[in-house]
Amino acid sequence: MPEGDTVWQTATRLHTALAGKVLTRTDFRVPAHATADLTGRTVLNVTPRGKHLLTRIEGGLTLHTHLRMDGAWKVFENGRRWTGGPAHQIRVILGTADRTAVGYRLPVLDLLRTADEERAVGHLGPDLLGPDWNPDQALANLLTDPARPLGEALLDQRNLAGIGNVYKSELCFLLGATPWLPIGALPADRVAKLPALARRLLVANRDRPVRSTTGRRGQDLFVYGRAPRPCLRCGTSIRVADQGDGSRERPTYWCPTCQSGPTPPHPETPRHPTN
């Protein structure tokens, strides 16, 4: 799922492939930038910011992209067949003398001046994997609205950047609270450790090929995507129901025994999880 750790990995692959190299081919397949030509310019770096990717290019330009649910960046050696999806799903191509980066199904793609990056990412809270990480500020942001459900507060990238639906469900489980518990009702000792716990999970997974919050091989997650299987701690069937995040409803998983707090009256039938 494209959460902060996934975006970190994507940025690392792109940076390794492109940074310090001259672009020999660029192809923007979106109307707003269809005529843009960056050939001859050097890629300076590729930097993650929460769930956003900033590809900085010589001449004061930044390519801002966001994967959301289905987007992906793939890197191929020149001469290799591209395997990220059908050609009509390609949104941008960045080629160098030896590598080509292809952006598939990117719902957000904007070419802007590097000086204007704040327009794209300035609203974000402290980045869990970034140099600006500030646990005190993240906690203050989360507690701005004490009545807000914990799960919604965690997903709000203005509070802290990098948490998606998987980490939301897993963090709530580790905190022993349902995602519908008002964040202000979370016991003080658990509130205090929330930012550090969130960062620890993302740091532990940013270099892993398979995300894990349990430390158990083959049982990688405590609750996400596991309904109606038994809880790994107590054996109770994991539940699933939708929860809003301010923009859309997302399937949310919890253990009714290990997590205390309000829950929806009618949990749903298990279905394929989404981020």
Side-chain angles (χ1 to χ4, degrees):
M1 295 295 179
E3 307 198 12
D5 53 350
T6 306
V7 174
W8 171 281
Q9 293 171 12
T10 300
T12 299
R13 288 196 301 273
L14 289 173
H15 183 85
T16 300
L18 301 177
K21 297 181 181 179
V22 175
L23 292 170
T24 58
R25 176 188 182 185
T26 63
D27 185 358
F28 291 85
R29 300 183 181 181
V30 294
H33 306 299
T35 61
D37 183 4
L38 305 182
T39 55
R41 299 177 188 245
T42 299
V43 177
L44 304 178
N45 58 70
V46 182
T47 301
R49 180 72 172 86
K51 298 183 186 182
H52 300 250
L53 286 161
L54 302 171
T55 302
R56 299 186 179 112
I57 299 164
E58 180 186 18
L61 294 176
T62 294
L63 175 60
H64 165 234
T65 57
H66 194 297
L67 306 179
R68 289 193 180 162
M69 280 300 302
D70 301 317
W73 276 100
K74 301 288 185 179
V75 177
F76 305 96
E77 293 181 4
N78 289 349
R80 294 283 301 273
R81 185 171 68 90
W82 298 351
T83 56
H88 72 266
Q89 293 182 347
I90 295 173
R91 299 293 177 263
V92 62
I93 300 167
L94 301 177
T96 69
D98 61 347
R99 297 282 192 280
T100 300
V102 185
Y104 290 88
R105 302 171 298 279
L106 298 173
V108 175
L109 190 157
D110 192 21
L111 189 62
L112 65 157
R113 295 192 309 157
T114 300
D116 295 334
E117 284 181 359
E118 287 298 291
R119 250 191 329 115
V121 297
H123 65 288
L124 299 175
D127 185 349
L128 282 153
L129 294 178
D132 70 319
W133 173 242
N134 183 327
D136 295 332
Q137 184 60 56
L139 185 57
N141 292 347
L142 287 165
L143 293 175
T144 299
D145 182 0
R148 193 174 192 187
L150 174 60
E152 292 183 24
L154 288 171
L155 279 183
D156 191 335
Q157 303 300 295
R158 296 170 298 181
N159 290 334
L160 68 174
I163 292 176
N165 211 32
V166 178
Y167 282 118
K168 176 195 80 171
S169 294
E170 295 296 293
L171 278 166
C172 288
F173 176 83
L174 292 169
L175 291 167
T178 69
W180 292 270
L181 181 76
I183 190 166
L186 194 65
D189 60 328
R190 282 182 266 176
V191 170
K193 71 178 184 180
L194 196 163
L197 177 61
R199 176 171 164 79
R200 188 158 65 247
L201 289 181
L202 267 73
V203 168
N205 283 289
R206 66 185 177 188
D207 296 318
R208 287 176 177 167
V210 178
R211 181 184 292 139
S212 175
T213 59
T214 65
R216 307 180 189 183
R217 183 174 297 180
Q219 295 178 325
D220 300 304
L221 302 174
F222 283 109
V223 292
Y224 186 81
R226 298 196 68 252
R229 284 176 284 174
C231 173
L232 297 179
R233 282 186 178 171
C234 72
T236 303
S237 291
I238 299 298
R239 306 284 182 84
V240 59
D242 279 338
Q243 182 181 37
D245 67 345
S247 64
R248 54 179 285 184
E249 297 288 315
R250 303 188 185 209
T252 299
Y253 299 82
W254 79 100
C255 172
T257 299
C258 294
Q259 294 170 254
S260 60
T263 60
H266 303 293
E268 299 180 2
T269 302
R271 53 193 170 87
H272 184 71
T274 57
N275 187 33

